[in-house]
Amino acid sequence: CRPAPTTADRQGTASRQTGGGGRHGADRIPLSQFVDQIPAWRGRIGKTITQRQLRVGEMIKQSLSMIFIRNEAKVPNLETNTITVTEVRMSQDLKIAKAYVLPLGGKNAEETVNTLKEYSFLIRKILSQKVVMKFLPKLLFRKDESFEYAEKIENLIKQTNK
């Protein structure tokens, strides 16, 4: 015999299972209270990265690196053999690949990324000849800021050790 639902139950609640396995009014927590306690729920909930995403991302990273080293993508006004591909992150459906790139020495990084974005169709065409996939992902180029972040953290650590 279940108790009649209360107004709090009708407005939206999250139930949690207890050791007894039953769902009773005492076991229910209002959803709004639960969401406020966990900050990660306020924004986009992150999905776990699958092995397939990692494998495909690594394959595309290696192929892009070889394309840039051999200068196979004839991008105007850009020496691609000085570009380093540090990471490629794949979307859940493997339709979008975010390639994090950095030119040698970090010089003109914004210009390089903008040029790569502009000619991504050309790079994607060359990539389609290297990688065999049912759907070749759309390439999005981003400036890799991980080295700058690591340097910042290193400087903070050095300051605290003094």
Side-chain angles (χ1 to χ4, degrees), residues 94-112:
L94 304 177
K95 301 263 178 150
I96 298 172
K98 290 183 187 175
Y100 292 88
V101 296
L102 196 63
L104 191 63
K107 300 173 186 170
N108 302 328
E110 293 298 326
E111 284 181 33
T112 303

Side-chain angles (χ1 to χ4, degrees), residues 29-125:
I29 300 172
L31 187 60
S32 60
Q33 177 186 357
F34 188 64
V35 170
D36 290 340
Q37 291 176 357
I38 302 174
W41 277 31
R42 291 184 187 152
R44 182 176 162 255
I45 297 175
K47 306 258 183 183
T48 57
I49 298 173
T50 62
Q51 283 293 318
R52 186 176 180 93
Q53 284 175 290
L54 292 173
R55 269 197 330 264
V56 172
E58 189 64 28
M59 182 175 61
I60 289 177
K61 174 187 165 188
Q62 290 175 1
S63 298
L64 280 175
S65 296
M66 292 309 295
I67 289 170
F68 289 154
I69 287 171
R70 295 179 182 158
N71 207 10
E72 293 175 354
K74 305 294 182 196
V75 179
N77 303 324
L78 186 66
E79 287 187 40
T80 58
N81 56 357
T82 62
I83 296 174
T84 304
V85 181
T86 56
E87 183 181 4
V88 175
R89 292 185 187 166
M90 299 299 299
S91 64
Q92 289 284 334
D93 58 359
L94 304 177
K95 301 263 178 150
I96 298 172
K98 290 183 187 175
Y100 292 88
V101 296
L102 196 63
L104 191 63
K107 300 173 186 170
N108 302 328
E110 293 298 326
E111 284 181 33
T112 303
V113 170
N114 289 335
T115 306
L116 288 173
K117 284 180 185 177
E118 186 178 342
Y119 290 98
S120 64
F121 69 93
L122 197 109
I123 298 166
R124 188 170 185 252
K125 182 179 176 184

